[in-house]
Amino acid sequence: LGPEALRGSGGVLLNKKGERFVNELDLRSVVSNAIIEQGDEYPDSGGSKFAFCVLNDAAVRLFGVNSHGFYWNRLGLFVKADTVEKLAALIGCPVENVRNTLGDYEQLSKENRQCPKTRKIVYPCVVGPQGPFYVAFVTPSIHYTMGGCLISPSAEMQLEENTTSPFGHRRPIFGLFGAGEVTGGVHGGNRLGGNSLLECVVFGRIAGDRAATILQKKPVPLSFKTWTTVILREVREGGMYGTGSRVLRFNLPGALQRSGLQLGQFIAIRGEWDGQQLIGYYSPITLPDDLGVIGILARSDKGTLKEWISALEPGDAVEMKGCGGLVIERRFSERYLYFSGHALKKLCLIAGGTGVAPMLQIIRAALKKPFLENIESICLIYAAEDVSELTYRELLEQHQRDSKGKFRSIFVLNRPPPVWTDGVGFIDKKLLSSSVQPPAKDLLVAICGPPIMQRVVKTCLKSLGYDMQLVRTVDEVETQNSSKM
């Protein structure tokens, strides 16, 4: 880190021709690559590239006279050159090269003008051809690695899965946490100086807190009678999640706990906003057997809870409990999904707005082994006001391309864009008759959306001859100070 501090104090980098070649205050990676590109090899180093870092008295004062004295007198890392002639001799280049380089730099640093060669615009101090000079030999080296294992926002180590699922390619290595240089992805393509220890402190604390929750007395945390406190760990919004939608992922009390819900059941979330207790009802988009986490899809631009939902940030606590809902059994030994005693081979999922949330969970379950082999077809009919509100559209379309005909999605927009080939308007009898699979005892039709949409769809399907025991809506709960999903 010494050379970085030297450059930050006004040190000037010269190559063996006595020329500047880089903005000394640029990123470490940029400066290192520029030194390597010069091709100047440090003697007896096995090919290591280097440059001369030149300081004058003004730069030494900024760096710290005592610190400079330690590196110079105690460690012998500086060589003093009293004049520009001696500096040129040390570098091994014509004196005019060094004099011209430092003369130009002196004018730039005095006038705070942008360097036309390196684009440098900030000058810690004025450095010119007047001695004395203090010269350090600097060479790029590895002192930190940014590549490593993937971690979740809760510092859980992640595995990449070879899957075409649109809902993610990663799963946690249960009980294994990481922080610091063993992990990757925190800093992106380049790390800002000073963030190494900060990363260890932040994610080390998160990992420790989360690891301490592994030993829980309860195998499942959510009850249908009492409220459980959960912590928001991650917020995702914008882009593929649609305009006005937020994906909120909560840590369950235990890192290895399952929610305890059945596929299709929904939850209640309770919290306070502006002195008022609020309750909202949401369907998880995570699976019941996902460990340590439960995620929901919520609107932050509509409804009575929009201000509360939009204000929630990672680290906030809310209360949660299980509710009723559509219960789909997953019989792993039989490799079938069951509903009301019927083994399911076909699913038609009809959603409006954020009513797509329970459908995302059902789709995710149906497209995983061992159930995928017995699923013949899944049809998702997804209605929204406009294209910006279609949550997960790109991922659903990608899955349709990858599913070899087992999954298809039909999008219906009330306000379609100029070029639109899917449905327009509302879900009606004509669309249902042409899109829903024919009536059968192995077909479940699940509906979730605005109440009027649910009533219209059920009426249409009844008139088309569908078994209404297999045409079901996701139940909604109404209580005081509550909002429907």
Side-chain angles (χ1 to χ4, degrees):
L1 298 178
E4 188 169 60
L6 295 176
R7 293 186 285 110
S9 301
V12 178
L13 292 179
L14 302 180
N15 59 21
K16 292 188 73 172
K17 297 178 182 178
E19 300 170 342
R20 290 182 62 243
F21 54 90
V22 70
N23 176 359
E24 290 84 359
L25 301 183
D26 214 324
L27 298 173
R28 294 168 174 170
S29 58
V30 175
V31 175
S32 296
N33 288 333
I35 292 175
I36 293 171
E37 288 173 2
Q38 297 305 301
D40 298 334
E41 292 189 6
Y42 191 79
D44 302 321
S45 67
S48 294
K49 307 301 186 289
F50 83 107
F52 301 92
C53 185
V54 180
L55 283 73
N56 62 2
D57 285 333
V60 167
R61 286 192 293 270
L62 286 177
F63 180 69
V65 174
N66 291 335
S67 297
H68 174 260
F70 173 79
Y71 285 109
W72 179 20
N73 299 317
R74 182 73 65 86
L75 300 182
L77 298 180
F78 282 94
V79 177
K80 185 178 181 181
D82 291 314
T83 64
V84 69
E85 290 80 11
K86 291 183 178 180
L87 175 59
L90 176 64
I91 293 174
C93 68
V95 66
E96 289 305 315
N97 289 10
V98 181
R99 183 178 286 114
N100 291 337
T101 295
L102 295 181
D104 292 342
Y105 189 84
E106 182 179 33
Q107 291 302 313
L108 292 171
S109 56
K110 281 183 177 179
E111 300 170 9
N112 281 317
R113 287 190 291 111
Q114 185 180 69
C115 175
K117 183 177 182 179
T118 66
R119 318 302 293 177
K120 186 173 184 176
I121 58 175
V122 176
Y123 302 90
C125 66
V126 176
V127 179
Q130 306 82 17
F133 303 100
Y134 307 90
V135 185
F137 299 74
V138 296
T139 182
S141 62
I142 296 174
H143 84 110
Y144 184 91
T145 58
M146 290 186 294
C149 298
L150 291 168
I151 58 172
S152 73
S154 291
E156 299 159 312
M157 291 288 194
Q158 304 277 294
L159 281 179
E160 290 277 3
E161 287 187 317
N162 184 18
T163 175
T164 59
S165 169
F167 302 102
H169 300 269
R170 302 172 184 172
R171 62 180 177 86
I173 303 174
F174 303 123
L176 183 61
F177 300 83
E181 286 186 72
V182 299
T183 68
V186 174
H187 303 288
N190 208 330
R191 180 176 68 81
L192 296 177
N195 279 350
S196 175
L197 293 179
L198 179 63
E199 175 192 7
C200 293
V201 171
V202 170
F203 285 94
R205 179 172 181 174
I206 291 173
D209 287 345
R210 197 62 181 147
T213 69
I214 289 178
L215 297 179
Q216 292 284 329
K217 294 181 179 180
K218 295 181 180 179
V220 294
L222 297 186
S223 166
F224 285 78
K225 296 181 179 180
T226 59
W227 294 92
T228 299
T229 299
V230 295
I231 305 297
L232 181 61
R233 82 184 226 179
E234 182 183 6
V235 176
R236 301 176 183 177
E237 55 191 330
M240 68 178 181
Y241 305 109
T243 301
S245 294
R246 301 187 98 198
V247 173
L248 308 177
R249 291 170 61 85
F250 296 89
N251 275 336
L252 296 175
L256 300 185
Q257 285 181 320
R258 294 178 172 86
S259 68
L261 302 176
Q262 295 291 328
L263 184 65
Q265 288 184 315
F266 61 95
I267 58 174
I269 296 179
R270 183 171 72 178
E272 288 192 2
W273 177 255
D274 197 22
Q276 185 182 21
Q277 188 178 80
L278 301 175
I279 300 177
Y281 298 91
Y282 301 94
S283 292
I285 59 175
T286 46
L287 290 178
D289 49 7
D290 285 345
L291 296 183
V293 65
I294 186 168
I296 65 169
L297 175 66
R299 293 303 298 251
S300 59
D301 63 342
K302 295 180 180 179
T304 58
L305 301 184
K306 63 181 181 181
E307 292 182 347
W308 178 45
I309 291 297
S310 62
L312 286 173
E313 296 180 352
D316 289 345
V318 301
E319 293 180 304
M320 185 180 294
K321 73 173 182 178
C323 294
L326 196 69
V327 177
I328 300 175
E329 294 182 71
R330 294 177 298 160
R331 299 186 184 179
F332 289 90
S333 60
E334 298 181 33
R335 302 185 178 186
Y336 272 99
L337 298 176
Y338 271 79
F339 178 76
S340 191
H342 296 270
L344 302 177
K345 293 184 178 181
K346 296 178 280 290
L347 295 167
C348 182
L349 310 172
I350 303 173
T354 52
V356 74
M359 311 314 179
L360 295 173
Q361 186 194 51
I362 295 170
I363 292 169
R364 185 182 172 198
L367 295 178
K368 291 186 70 173
K369 294 180 180 180
F371 309 112
L372 178 60
E373 61 187 75
N374 287 320
I375 289 291
E376 295 178 358
S377 67
I378 304 172
C379 175
L380 171 67
I381 303 175
Y382 183 6
E385 279 296 308
D386 56 54
V387 71
S388 68
E389 293 188 0
L390 291 175
T391 300
Y392 286 108
R393 178 191 174 192
E394 293 85 357
L395 294 177
L396 291 169
E397 289 178 337
Q398 180 63 47
H399 192 75
Q400 179 170 309
R401 291 190 290 269
D402 296 340
S403 67
K404 299 180 180 180
K406 285 197 172 186
F407 173 77
R408 64 189 177 105
S409 55
I410 301 168
F411 302 108
V412 183
L413 299 180
N414 191 30
R415 298 193 302 271
V419 179
W420 182 252
T421 57
D422 275 21
V424 176
F426 301 96
I427 299 175
D428 55 19
K429 186 174 181 178
K430 180 180 179 181
L431 175 65
L432 294 171
S433 63
S434 63
S435 303
V436 182
Q437 301 96 316
K441 293 298 182 181
D442 57 6
L443 167 67
L444 172 65
V445 180
I447 311 164
C448 188
I452 188 171
M453 185 206 85
Q454 295 186 154
R455 289 195 297 270
V456 169
V457 170
K458 291 188 73 173
T459 300
C460 292
L461 291 175
K462 184 176 182 179
S463 69
L464 290 171
Y466 285 85
D467 181 355
M468 299 311 291
Q469 294 299 314
L470 293 172
V471 176
R472 304 298 290 267
T473 59
V474 175
D475 294 339
E476 296 177 342
V477 176
E478 295 184 6
T479 60
Q480 188 176 4
N481 293 332
S482 69
S483 172
K484 297 178 182 178
M485 182 180 60

